[in-house]
Amino acid sequence: GAEPDLLGYNVYRSLTQGIDYEKANLLPIGGTRFADHAVDNDITYYYVITAVDTFFRESVYSVEVNVVPAYETTPPAAPTGLAAVSSSDGISLDWDDNQEIDMEYYDVYRGTASGIWSWVGSSKASTHVDADVYPGTPYYYTVKAVDYACNESPNSTEISVEFIAPPLSAPQPPKAARWPKR
């Protein structure tokens, strides 16, 4: 079980087995996962971790493990749950977060015909607002996930939505002129 005063963990790496460890994270890691992106492919790295308490005291090093990073070629899964609504800002898109640990961002594509899309933006979050839309035009959207190695997922399921312009406010009648009394 976790210690009641556990703040998190520090990850240390080295190019030499058993010595010369350098901290790989800036602040203690709150969870039990860490993706080290400051490494090169085909080089052996040696890792240990420490537990850090609320007074920033560290435990002894864990058992060492070694890893040889290789260029990642597995693309992320296609995003799921893509939905869109017409809002006063344009068309608001939302989809489920991808669960890959190496997720970088999402690319959003739009077209005015099914299956024919152009890139309209990227988002770190699983949301996007497309403000460059016009009333009465059906728009077709799909989203792709991109990981740190620039691998791109297949397209999400395509959805279509039409932008509905917000109603204009009713004009106000002019205020009656008041003439000064003579």
Side-chain angles (χ1 to χ4, degrees), residues 15-101:
L15 292 170
T16 308
Q17 184 175 3
I19 59 171
D20 298 331
Y21 296 110
E22 293 182 11
K23 193 159 76 163
N25 57 296
L26 187 59
L27 297 172
I29 300 161
T32 56
R33 290 181 168 202
F34 177 72
D36 190 1
H37 301 289
V39 295
D40 293 316
N41 289 324
D42 303 322
I43 294 175
T44 301
Y45 292 90
Y46 300 90
Y47 288 91
V48 294
I49 63 169
T50 61
V52 182
D53 71 12
T54 54
F55 295 103
F56 291 94
R57 295 178 298 207
E58 287 188 82
S59 69
V60 297
Y61 288 146
S62 68
V63 173
E64 181 183 77
V65 296
N66 65 66
V67 177
V68 180
Y71 182 72
E72 178 60 53
T73 59
T74 305
T80 59
L82 180 59
V85 294
S86 181
S87 71
S88 60
D89 297 328
I91 295 177
S92 297
L93 301 164
D94 190 11
W95 56 92
D96 300 331
D97 291 336
N98 273 50
Q99 298 304 308
E100 290 87 359
I101 193 168

